[in-house]
Amino acid sequence: MVLNPAAGRGLAGRTWPRLEAALNARGLAFELLHAGSAREACAALAARPAGQAALAVGGDGTASLLLPELVRSGRALGLVPLGSGNDLAGSLGLRPGDLDSALDRLSRPEGRLDLMEVRLDDRPPVLLLNGLGMGYDAQVADLLHRAPARLLGVPLGGFPRYLWAALRGLRQLESGPLTVEVDGEVLYRGASCLVAVMNSERYGGGFRIAPGADPRDGQLNVVLGGNLSRVALLPLMGRVLRGTHLTHPAVREARGREVRLSWERPMQTHLDGELAGAQRQLTVRVLPGALRCLSLP
């Protein structure tokens, strides 16, 4: 069991006593590991017996920390969603804080999830669970790290926190020339303010950027917006929340096994919500069924 006590602005740490009691009540044997850096988490997991599954207690970021070791060793992953966004878990029908549902799934037959492999310049490839974004998406991810803990006396977490960042991000909206290739064919060439490549349908704590995406279908979903103004983007955000934006004339969507994104100038980039700096190009391909999973519906 890999716990990130800081996930969900401390929600995972505060919930641990209740989760520990639920595990003991079910007679589930476990060993607790605290998640630090990706290297530390993977090293601690690698030192455990090879047959043990790993249960990630936190958000999408907690599970992402473990991916290199999970793929290397072939361990299965289970999810207890207690983070800020919980988008992969949400796409699988798990609600944050619903410990009973999360633990019930551990007794079901396991399945497999696809992963994303991303290549940036000459860096080693990066494995992702959920998705990536360039442009406005990544600007919002940057603002999320700087969002206030409270607004007008109300705690700001999960979806409200993302909405705050999305509205603030409109002030610094940028567009640039973008080329998108899917499986070697040009899908789009022109001005754009954002593009997302997704393994599951959600990001940002509930925005359905890629409705219909399934992390078990061996396909990536790419969604992009054209040269949208601030005035045009604001109502479109509401449609993204409902998953009805794909019919908007400025939105393009496609599916494939490999996607290449190329900008004329560097654009802010996030990988599973973690900032990767300004990038001019990247290539992402799907790894079908690369991850054993205990938390499928």
Side-chain angles (χ1 to χ4, degrees), residues 24 26 34 37 40 48 52 66 71 112 129-130 146 154 162 170 194 207-208 213 217 227 263 291 296-297:
N24 289 329
R26 292 167 180 258
H34 288 277
S37 68
E40 291 170 347
R48 270 60 191 177
Q52 289 182 346
L66 307 176
V71 171
R112 288 189 173 267
L129 274 168
N130 205 48
R146 296 184 271 130
V154 178
Y162 187 91
L170 290 174
L194 67 91
F207 281 87
R208 299 180 63 211
D217 65 2
N227 192 19
W263 300 81
L291 180 68
L296 299 182

Side-chain angles (χ1 to χ4, degrees), residues 42-129:
C42 286
L45 191 58
R48 270 60 191 177
Q52 289 182 346
L55 193 62
V57 183
D60 295 334
T62 306
S64 292
L65 285 177
L66 307 176
L67 289 180
E69 171 57 21
L70 292 172
V71 171
R72 185 201 67 80
S73 64
R75 296 175 192 270
L77 172 70
L79 302 171
V80 178
L82 293 170
S84 296
N86 307 298
D87 287 301
L88 177 65
S91 295
L92 297 176
L94 282 173
R95 298 190 303 275
D98 188 346
L99 303 184
D100 286 335
S101 292
L103 296 181
D104 283 346
R105 293 195 181 187
L106 301 181
S107 62
R108 300 180 187 177
E110 70 173 57
R112 288 189 173 267
L113 293 180
D114 304 335
L115 293 178
M116 298 167 62
E117 182 187 72
V118 184
R119 294 185 178 272
L120 300 168
D121 301 326
D122 57 353
R123 302 184 194 181
V126 179
L127 296 176
L128 302 183
L129 274 168

Side-chain angles (χ1 to χ4, degrees):
M1 178 159 301
V2 183
L3 169 69
N4 178 5
R9 298 208 164 186
L11 175 63
R14 294 191 300 272
T15 307
W16 168 246
R18 188 160 60 92
L19 176 58
E20 182 180 27
L23 288 162
N24 289 329
R26 292 167 180 258
L28 293 173
F30 65 91
E31 181 180 1
L32 180 62
L33 305 176
H34 288 277
S37 68
R39 179 176 297 180
E40 291 170 347
C42 286
L45 191 58
R48 270 60 191 177
Q52 289 182 346
L55 193 62
V57 183
D60 295 334
T62 306
S64 292
L65 285 177
L66 307 176
L67 289 180
E69 171 57 21
L70 292 172
V71 171
R72 185 201 67 80
S73 64
R75 296 175 192 270
L77 172 70
L79 302 171
V80 178
L82 293 170
S84 296
N86 307 298
D87 287 301
L88 177 65
S91 295
L92 297 176
L94 282 173
R95 298 190 303 275
D98 188 346
L99 303 184
D100 286 335
S101 292
L103 296 181
D104 283 346
R105 293 195 181 187
L106 301 181
S107 62
R108 300 180 187 177
E110 70 173 57
R112 288 189 173 267
L113 293 180
D114 304 335
L115 293 178
M116 298 167 62
E117 182 187 72
V118 184
R119 294 185 178 272
L120 300 168
D121 301 326
D122 57 353
R123 302 184 194 181
V126 179
L127 296 176
L128 302 183
L129 274 168
N130 205 48
L132 63 87
M134 303 183 79
Y136 175 68
D137 286 8
Q139 293 168 1
V140 172
D142 182 28
L143 286 165
L144 276 171
H145 292 284
R146 296 184 271 130
R150 304 177 73 87
L151 185 64
L152 300 176
V154 178
L156 198 63
F159 172 71
R161 182 165 168 250
Y162 187 91
L163 183 59
W164 177 91
L167 294 173
R168 288 290 295 268
L170 290 174
R171 300 180 184 179
Q172 58 192 57
L173 182 67
E174 297 179 357
S175 295
L178 167 69
T179 299
V180 179
E181 299 171 71
V182 180
D183 292 340
E185 300 290 332
V186 175
L187 169 69
Y188 178 82
R189 182 177 285 125
S192 176
C193 61
L194 67 91
V195 58
V197 184
M198 301 296 296
N199 189 36
S200 66
E201 68 171 12
R202 289 178 29 172
Y203 67 8
F207 281 87
R208 299 180 63 211
I209 185 67
D214 184 346
R216 295 167 290 178
D217 65 2
Q219 297 279 300
L220 300 171
N221 289 55
V222 56
V223 181
L224 66 94
N227 192 19
L228 292 159
S229 67
R230 293 179 179 86
V231 174
L233 186 57
L234 185 58
L236 185 58
M237 286 169 49
R239 293 181 62 170
V240 173
L241 182 60
R242 300 187 301 273
T244 60
H245 57 290
L246 297 184
T247 57
H248 191 284
V251 175
R252 301 289 296 274
E253 185 263 350
R255 297 184 182 189
R257 296 176 65 88
E258 182 171 290
V259 178
R260 183 174 177 83
L261 308 178
S262 303
W263 300 81
E264 283 195 7
R265 58 185 177 83
M267 296 292 280
Q268 188 65 263
T269 303
H270 80 80
L271 308 176
D272 269 354
E274 297 297 320
L275 296 176
Q279 307 288 330
R280 285 192 65 248
Q281 62 184 30
L282 60 79
T283 301
V284 54
R285 68 185 182 102
V286 67
L287 303 179
L291 180 68
R292 294 170 59 200
C293 185
L294 302 175
S295 297
L296 299 182

